[in-house]
Amino acid sequence: MLWSSLESVLSAIRAFVPQLSPGKHKGQAGKIAVVGGCREYTGAPYFAAISALKLGADLSHVFCTKDAGPVIKSYSPELIVHPVLKESYDAKFNDQAERTDVIARVVHDVLQWLPRFDCLVVGPGLGRDSLVMDSVEKIIQHARAQNVPVVIDGDGLFLVTNKPELVQGYPLAILTPNVNEHRRLVAKVLGNGNGQDVGIPDILSDSNPSSQLILLAERLGHITIVQKGPTDHISDGHSVLDCGMFGSPRRCGGQGDVLSGSIAVFMAWANDFSKQDDKHAKQLVEQCLSGNPAVMASYAGSLLLRRAASAAFASHKRSMVTTDIIRELGASVEALFPVDPVEESYKSR
C-alpha cells in the first residue's frame, strides 16, 4: 500500500473504531483475554493485555500458570488474572487418564469465561511445556467452535506450526509470525518438512515473499497472516497489504506482544462492525482497506504499533524499551483516530 493512500486507510479504520459515548456500558468497547504466561515468561502476556486496555478495550484478562499469576498481578491492578494453567512439574498425575483429567479441569476453568470474550490472544510467554500445550490446543478448539476470534503469537505459533489444522480454514484466526516463525510455517505447510516443494520452488524462496505469503494463507484456508519485519506483510490468501509506515530502528523485545494485544482489540471492533448494517461505511472500508475483519484489524494494529514505536524512539532513542511504546499508545490512538467533535462537545458540558 502506497504512502499516498494513508489518509484513505485512516478514514477506513476510523469507520470501524467505535466512538466513545456516555450511553455505553462496560464491556461494549471490547473484552480481551490473553492465554499465556509461565514461570519463566511473565512480561509478554502483560504487554499484550495492558496494550489492549491502553488502546481502548474495557476489560483485559490473562490466563496463565500458577507461578506467573502473582507476578503478572503485581505489574498492574488493571488486569484480571486467572492462574489456572498447569505445567507438568506442578500437576499431579500417575497415568494418561489422570493427565487427561488435569487438562479437562484446566480447560473447564477457561471455558467458564470464554463466551464473554471478543477476542483471544494465544501464546505470549506461554512456554512449551507439553501439558500447557495440550490444554491450549483444547482452548483453541473451543474458541473456534464458539466463533471467538483468536490472535496467535509467540509460543502459540509453535503449537500451530506443529498442528496447523487447529486454525486451518478458520476465518477469525490471525497469525503474527516473525521471520523465523514464518519460515517454519512455510516449511510445515508448503514444504516437505525441509521447506522444499518440487512444484513451487520459486514461491518457497525468500526472493518471492508476496507470492509465498499469499500461498501460505491460501493453504491454511484463507486465515490472515501478519508476517512481521521492517515492513509488515498482511495476507488472507487473496492479496497482500504492506504496512511500512513509521516504526523504529530499535528492536527491543516485547513489541510483538504489543502488536498482538492491539490487533485483538481492533479485531473485536472490526468483527462487530462487519455485523452492522451501514452499507456505506462498509463499502468505504472495503475499497480503502479490506472487507475481511481480520485483515482490517491486522493493518490497524500494525499501523498503531509503528506510530507508537516512532514516538517512543523519538523520546528515548537507543534506551527505548517496550514500556515506553505502551506509554505512547494513547497519544498514538488520538493522533491516528482523533476524538469525534460530538465527543468534544459532550466533554465541554
Side-chain angles (χ1 to χ4, degrees):
M1 188 165 293
L2 301 176
W3 275 92
S4 61
S5 66
L6 178 57
E7 187 53 45
S8 63
V9 170
L10 289 175
S11 297
I13 297 172
R14 290 170 191 147
F16 69 81
V17 172
Q19 293 297 323
L20 297 173
S21 168
K24 291 185 177 180
H25 59 75
K26 180 176 66 178
Q28 282 188 285
K31 302 177 291 297
I32 307 302
V34 176
V35 180
C38 62
R39 55 179 173 169
E40 289 92 355
Y41 308 115
T42 57
Y46 165 75
F47 289 150
I50 202 69
S51 296
L53 285 181
K54 291 288 188 178
L55 172 53
D58 286 339
L59 295 168
S60 191
H61 296 243
V62 178
F63 292 86
C64 59
T65 65
K66 181 181 70 174
D67 287 343
V71 181
I72 298 173
K73 285 175 182 284
S74 74
Y75 293 154
S76 173
E78 308 289 349
L79 304 179
I80 303 167
V81 182
H82 310 265
V84 298
L85 301 181
K86 296 284 188 182
E87 294 183 90
S88 298
Y89 81 94
D90 184 47
K92 308 297 182 184
F93 51 83
N94 297 312
D95 55 31
Q96 184 60 41
E98 291 183 5
R99 186 179 190 276
T100 300
D101 185 60
V102 169
I103 293 172
R105 292 198 302 270
V106 169
V107 174
H108 176 266
D109 287 341
V110 177
L111 291 187
Q112 294 181 80
W113 293 89
L114 187 60
R116 309 184 190 194
F117 299 133
D118 299 302
C119 191
L120 289 186
V121 180
V122 178
L126 190 64
R128 297 183 181 180
D129 179 86
S130 62
L131 188 64
V132 172
M133 285 287 169
D134 288 348
S135 300
V136 172
E137 178 182 341
K138 300 292 185 184
I139 293 168
I140 293 174
Q141 290 171 345
H142 282 283
R144 179 172 183 169
Q146 296 184 34
N147 287 318
V148 177
V150 292
V151 179
I152 299 180
D153 187 35
D155 293 314
L157 289 167
F158 175 79
L159 174 61
V160 166
T161 298
N162 288 324
K163 297 185 177 182
E165 65 273 10
L166 286 173
V167 296
Q168 192 163 24
Y170 184 45
L172 299 181
I174 301 172
L175 309 186
T176 61
N178 60 28
V179 60
N180 291 322
E181 292 162 340
H182 178 77
R183 285 172 179 163
R184 287 192 286 268
L185 268 173
V186 168
K188 177 69 175 183
V189 177
L190 301 183
N192 58 9
N194 298 315
Q196 299 297 319
D197 185 317
V198 294
I200 47 173
D202 293 336
I203 290 178
L204 281 171
S205 72
D206 290 339
S207 63
N208 197 353
S210 293
S211 297
Q212 182 190 85
L213 181 59
I214 289 173
L215 183 60
L216 179 62
E218 180 185 335
R219 288 279 184 91
L220 284 170
H222 293 284
I223 68 172
T224 297
I225 301 173
V226 182
Q227 184 184 359
K228 297 181 293 191
T231 295
D232 290 341
H233 305 290
I234 302 163
S235 180
D236 59 0
H238 296 293
S239 61
V240 175
L241 293 180
D242 297 329
C243 186
M245 299 80 161
F246 312 117
S248 162
R250 173 83 166 105
R251 300 307 305 159
C252 55
Q255 293 184 64
D257 305 310
V258 177
L259 177 64
S260 63
S262 300
I263 289 176
V265 181
F266 282 118
M267 182 61 185
W269 294 344
N271 197 36
D272 183 64
F273 172 80
S274 70
K275 300 173 184 176
Q276 297 174 11
D277 295 326
D278 191 338
K279 295 181 179 179
H280 176 73
K282 286 183 177 180
Q283 185 178 34
L284 168 68
V285 174
E286 186 170 356
Q287 288 177 345
C288 298
L289 188 56
S290 173
N292 183 343
V295 174
M296 294 156 55
S298 298
Y299 195 93
S302 176
L303 191 64
L304 177 66
L305 172 63
R306 289 168 179 274
R307 174 63 174 77
S310 177
F313 183 77
S315 297
H316 300 279
K317 298 298 190 273
R318 196 178 296 273
S319 70
M320 183 191 85
V321 292
T322 298
T323 50
D324 298 320
I325 298 175
I326 292 171
R327 291 188 189 101
E328 295 291 343
L329 285 175
S332 297
V333 170
E334 179 60 21
L336 295 173
F337 321 114
V339 173
D340 188 274
V342 174
E343 300 169 45
E344 291 289 0
S345 65
Y346 172 77
K347 286 165 57 179
S348 65
R349 291 179 189 175

